[in-house]
Amino acid sequence: MNRATFDDYIARFNARDASAFEDYIADDMEMLNGALRFTGVAGMKDHYQNKIWPDFDERLNPLRFIGNDAHVAIEMRTEFEALADNPDTLFGAVRKGEMFVYHGLIMYDLRDGRFTKIQVAYNSFTNIKLDGTEIEMGLPH
């Protein structure tokens, strides 16, 4: 996969366009993200449409990219901003405007231009409170 194609996936993801999952995720894809494990397009849609996007404005910001026909590796910074006060999100209780920032590496395996395995490695996961206090979270899920 080249950078332009990957950037299309990221732009559509950031626009909350779930059809990107249908175009870029294999039906048997395995996602490994901290303690979370899910499979295929249905698993991606469930995770993002039901567990992340209702509670957070999520922005993926790829910093570095290496790709070929079999693999993509990226350094990623992802920002999650809480959309409302909520006592029960995937990251625990949040206040509107509170931020969570992921920084780490993600490896994608490919088959026929679709992701078959996605492995997320954490360098840091930081909670930024409304008063600017930063709390290092470790693995969030």
Side-chain angles (χ1 to χ4, degrees):
M1 180 176 285
N2 63 34
R3 180 68 191 250
T5 302
F6 188 77
D7 284 347
D8 176 68
Y9 170 71
I10 295 298
R12 291 172 62 191
F13 183 101
N14 283 341
R16 296 180 179 216
D17 177 358
S19 72
F21 300 142
E22 295 162 8
D23 292 342
Y24 288 101
I25 302 293
D27 289 335
D28 60 346
M29 181 276 309
E30 294 180 21
M31 176 80 162
L32 311 170
N33 183 349
L36 293 176
R37 307 285 188 263
F38 45 91
T39 304
V41 173
M44 289 290 277
K45 284 184 175 183
D46 176 61
H47 178 71
Y48 290 100
Q49 290 180 313
N50 298 324
K51 297 177 178 90
I52 297 291
W53 293 343
D55 297 318
F56 298 96
D57 177 24
E58 179 180 11
R59 304 297 298 171
L60 305 179
N61 302 291
L63 303 174
R64 290 192 286 173
F65 172 92
I66 299 169
N68 60 34
D69 289 341
H71 305 284
V72 167
I74 61 167
E75 178 183 1
M76 180 74 83
R77 177 185 164 90
T78 302
E79 298 172 350
F80 302 84
E81 181 176 349
L83 298 172
D85 290 358
N86 188 335
D88 187 29
T89 75
L90 194 61
F91 303 153
V94 299
R95 303 276 318 270
K96 181 178 181 177
E98 187 173 353
M99 298 286 296
F100 295 83
V101 179
Y102 159 82
H103 179 248
L105 305 174
I106 305 175
M107 173 67 81
Y108 301 80
D109 292 345
L110 295 161
R111 180 181 64 239
D112 300 324
R114 293 179 184 252
F115 305 129
T116 58
K117 189 171 191 178
I118 304 172
Q119 295 178 284
V120 179
Y122 288 75
N123 289 354
S124 66
F125 193 75
T126 307
N127 175 211
I128 305 169
K129 300 291 187 183
L130 295 176
D131 67 2
T133 303
E134 295 187 13
I135 301 168
E136 191 56 43
M137 307 270 301
L139 292 178
H141 333 318

